[in-house]
Amino acid sequence: MATITVRYFAAAAEAAGRDQEELTLVGDGPAPTVGALRAELLERYGAPMAAVLRSGSFLIDGKVSRDDGRALGAVVDILPPFAGG
């Protein structure tokens, strides 16, 4: 189990109704994964967050990831899709 800081930007912040929160997640291994965070966010925020996560990404330790098996860091940014990129 680990507590992480999740920071939301643009449409992700709108879907969550906040800019940031602390979440405690249970991991399958030594640390929770992107997949565990994705599942928690979908359960908490439903369809609005699903729309963001469908084409958005996770920023973990300065690296963009969509890999559900990747371990999370202490701070994870939820980024919506960006135009032109």
Side-chain angles (χ1 to χ4, degrees), residues 5-35:
T5 300
V6 181
R7 299 186 306 186
Y8 303 102
F9 294 87
E14 289 179 33
R18 64 193 75 222
D19 293 329
Q20 179 174 312
E21 68 182 319
E22 303 290 317
L23 294 178
T24 300
L25 300 172
V26 177
D28 296 339
T33 62
V34 168

Side-chain angles (χ1 to χ4, degrees), residues 4 6 8 15-18 20-25 36-50 53:
I4 61 167
V6 181
Y8 303 102
R18 64 193 75 222
Q20 179 174 312
E21 68 182 319
E22 303 290 317
L23 294 178
T24 300
L25 300 172
L37 177 57
R38 182 186 305 274
E40 180 67 25
L41 295 177
L42 292 175
E43 183 177 320
R44 285 175 179 254
Y45 304 116
M49 186 61 74
L53 298 181

Side-chain angles (χ1 to χ4, degrees), residues 32-82:
T33 62
V34 168
L37 177 57
R38 182 186 305 274
E40 180 67 25
L41 295 177
L42 292 175
E43 183 177 320
R44 285 175 179 254
Y45 304 116
M49 186 61 74
V52 172
L53 298 181
R54 197 171 2 263
S55 54
S57 54
F58 298 84
L59 187 66
I60 305 164
D61 298 330
K63 295 182 182 175
V64 174
S65 179
R66 290 188 186 162
D67 176 7
D68 279 356
R70 181 167 179 193
L72 298 173
V75 177
V76 177
D77 295 335
I78 308 299
L79 306 174
F82 291 97

